[in-house]
Amino acid sequence: MLTLHRAAFVLPDPADPAAPSLPDGAVLVRGEQVEAVGPYPELAAAHPGARVRDWGPGSLLAPGLRHPSGHRLLERDYHPDPREGVGVEPVADGLVGCADEARFGASARRGLQRMLGYGVTAVAGPFERAAVRTAVARSGLAVLPSAAGAVGALDPLAVLPFAEAVHGRVAAGGRADFAVFPVVPVFPVVPVVPVVPVVPVQGVVDGSGEGRPGPAAGGCLATVLGGRLVYRRR
């Protein structure tokens, strides 16, 4: 089945400062792969039978994020069950000294689900616990080499600029791993002659290209792994 993911902006390669964003863009997905990236009107006209997922006027579709602290977050920190009544934030070193594989596995599954809510599509390993390796493999996230000096925040954008946090690029023929974020648009500054001096205010950009939109803080709207919608904000 063909699925057309439409967003207000598509940014196929945020790591490339010269790569432009596509206003009213779309990504066409067939199975696990990206079939095409381009303007939504063109792709919709060429594939009238495709299912359309329209992520709305305030959306930015981009590659998913890499999490540099995967090993620590999944094998040292504990991710509570909401029923425990202690919140949902990771408990630092909450698994240190634990020998219960079932507890490791359950914590890892909850942690991975919460990472998906931030647009994570790849995590840094290695993972020593069998239960954690199984949870990561079943999640569909890519596993990357260890990252030195990583900080244990669930949101990679809390510790890395957007251009450095993305994993790979969204391109035809590649695996359909990407995320959709709320967008912080860039507003053009209109020259005016003020009565009193004022400081012009612009929108926030992603820091890697002038005039490009960037993701708003606080998590993503959706995460897609291998063409599957694995997270959608409620």
Side-chain angles (χ1 to χ4, degrees), residues 1 17 21 46 56 67 77 100 114 117 122 129 135 139 190 192 199-200 202 209 216:
M1 175 183 288
S21 62
H67 204 299
D77 296 350
D100 185 348
R114 289 163 190 162
R129 291 281 182 173
S139 74
V190 179
V192 295
V199 178
Q202 290 180 283

Side-chain angles (χ1 to χ4, degrees), residues 53-78:
R53 290 193 184 275
D54 191 334
W55 296 108
S59 57
L60 169 66
L61 189 154
L65 308 180
R66 63 180 181 89
H67 204 299
S69 308
H71 172 75
R72 175 182 178 84
L73 277 172
L74 299 178
E75 295 203 325
R76 291 184 63 89
D77 296 350
Y78 176 67

Side-chain angles (χ1 to χ4, degrees), residues 2-3 27-36 171-178 226-227:
L2 285 172
T3 302
V27 174
L28 184 67
V29 174
R30 184 190 296 274
E32 296 184 355
Q33 287 193 319
V34 174
E35 184 150 307
R175 180 176 157 90
D177 289 353
F178 53 84

Side-chain angles (χ1 to χ4, degrees), residues 45-199:
H47 304 277
R51 176 179 60 181
V52 176
R53 290 193 184 275
D54 191 334
W55 296 108
S59 57
L60 169 66
L61 189 154
L65 308 180
R66 63 180 181 89
H67 204 299
S69 308
H71 172 75
R72 175 182 178 84
L73 277 172
L74 299 178
E75 295 203 325
R76 291 184 63 89
D77 296 350
Y78 176 67
H79 299 271
D81 187 313
R83 294 171 295 183
E84 295 178 69
V86 295
V88 296
E89 291 301 311
V91 178
D93 294 329
L95 291 173
V96 174
C98 176
D100 185 348
E101 282 291 318
R103 185 172 175 84
F104 271 99
S107 173
R109 289 190 293 273
R110 291 190 292 267
L112 289 163
Q113 186 61 36
R114 289 163 190 162
M115 287 183 194
L116 292 174
Y118 288 101
V120 172
T121 56
V123 291
F127 301 107
E128 300 169 0
R129 291 281 182 173
V132 175
R133 290 197 301 271
T134 298
V136 173
R138 289 179 176 174
S139 74
L141 273 72
V143 178
L144 306 175
S146 61
V151 180
L154 276 173
D155 183 2
L157 295 179
V159 296
L160 292 172
F162 182 46
E164 296 179 20
V166 292
H167 177 244
R169 54 196 294 265
V170 181
R175 180 176 157 90
D177 289 353
F178 53 84
V180 183
F181 301 90
V183 69
V184 177
V186 177
F187 299 102
V189 176
V190 179
V192 295
V193 180
V195 176
V196 294
V198 298
V199 178

